[in-house]
Amino acid sequence: MDYVLPPQPPVAVPVAGSAALFPVRRVYCVGRNYAEHAKEMGFTGREDPFFFCKPADAVRPVADGETGKMSYPPKTSNLHYEMELVVVLGKGGRDIPVEQANECVWGYALGLDMTRRDLQGEMKKQGRPWEIGKAFDESAPIGPIHPRSVVGTLDKGAIWLDVNGQRKQSSDISQMLWNIPESISYLSGLFELQPGDIIYTGTPEGVGAVVQGDVITGGVEGLGELRVQIV
């Protein structure tokens, strides 16, 4: 097949303990999925889940034991971290029942949903889409994927984040307003999910700004650490 331009290589994330790579198709993100984070964003209660997307090429894999580098993005003076558990799908479908949703999960990873908060806030005020606040280059650092066959099904466990060694976020993934099967099921009613889709499942309270030189270290119990420096 002849292409006018060379096609871009697929985005792929390493699998922990393996030489294999996991290809990324789409990146979905669950918004305001922890009660205390919803409160700090000015919302209360368990509203229906909502989602936004990042482009697959915003994903920046970081190997175990390494410090990834993320460029401070342009047009912002308020870059925020959001530590998240990422769910990786090996199966998809439409209208997936909640009780079958975990069967779609191939594995889990650590992720950062980096956010140009000032630009996102402006878009909220104007009723415009969030892309410039959420979907910019390098906005989705991610650690290696841990297969569910190895780590089991995750429904509880500490989630945390430090900036320069100081604890900023601390919660438990059991505190999600919409748990993983519920989020997958709801999302599959909006889109046909496919193998290779990944879902950033939301962040707990304690989000805040970082500047060039800061080192972000975050984790979820059983999945190690993700470390990224802003450069």
Side-chain angles (χ1 to χ4, degrees), residues 73-154:
K75 306 296 184 182
T76 184
S77 58
N78 196 19
L79 176 66
H80 277 211
Y81 54 80
E82 296 189 12
M83 185 64 208
E84 310 207 3
L85 172 65
V86 182
V87 174
V88 174
L89 302 187
K91 298 179 182 178
R94 296 184 187 271
D95 299 315
I96 299 166
V98 172
E99 56 273 14
Q100 297 176 19
N102 270 329
E103 298 173 14
C104 298
V105 178
W106 192 88
Y108 307 92
L110 305 173
L112 286 166
D113 168 19
M114 300 302 291
T115 304
R116 292 193 281 203
R117 191 72 72 198
D118 43 2
L119 301 187
Q120 183 196 28
E122 263 318 298
M123 295 304 99
K124 286 181 179 180
K125 289 177 187 176
Q126 297 178 44
R128 294 179 178 177
W130 291 6
E131 275 86 353
I132 64 170
K134 287 286 193 179
F136 55 92
D137 299 338
E138 305 180 40
S139 62
I142 191 171
I145 296 168
H146 297 256
R148 187 165 69 99
S149 60
V150 175
V151 300
T153 298
L154 299 186

Side-chain angles (χ1 to χ4, degrees), residues 144-222:
I145 296 168
H146 297 256
R148 187 165 69 99
S149 60
V150 175
V151 300
T153 298
L154 299 186
D155 55 13
K156 62 179 182 286
I159 181 171
W160 56 272
L161 180 141
D162 294 346
V163 177
N164 302 327
Q166 184 176 358
R167 186 61 43 97
K168 298 293 186 179
Q169 291 186 282
S170 181
S171 188
D172 194 284
I173 62 172
S174 64
Q175 298 304 303
M176 291 180 189
L177 291 171
W178 293 84
N179 64 31
I180 290 167
E182 290 170 335
S183 293
I184 292 171
S185 177
Y186 198 103
L187 186 59
S188 72
L190 300 170
F191 304 92
E192 181 177 5
L193 299 178
Q194 298 283 351
D197 290 344
I198 68 175
I199 304 170
Y200 278 63
T201 57
T203 195
E205 70 276 12
V207 300
V210 285
V211 297
Q212 285 180 307
D214 284 347
V215 176
I216 303 167
T217 307
V220 171
E221 187 176 340

Side-chain angles (χ1 to χ4, degrees), residues 13-17 61-65 108-110 142-147 223 225-226:
V13 180
V15 174
V62 180
D64 268 334
Y108 307 92
L110 305 173
I142 191 171
I145 296 168
H146 297 256
L223 300 183
E225 293 184 350
L226 171 63

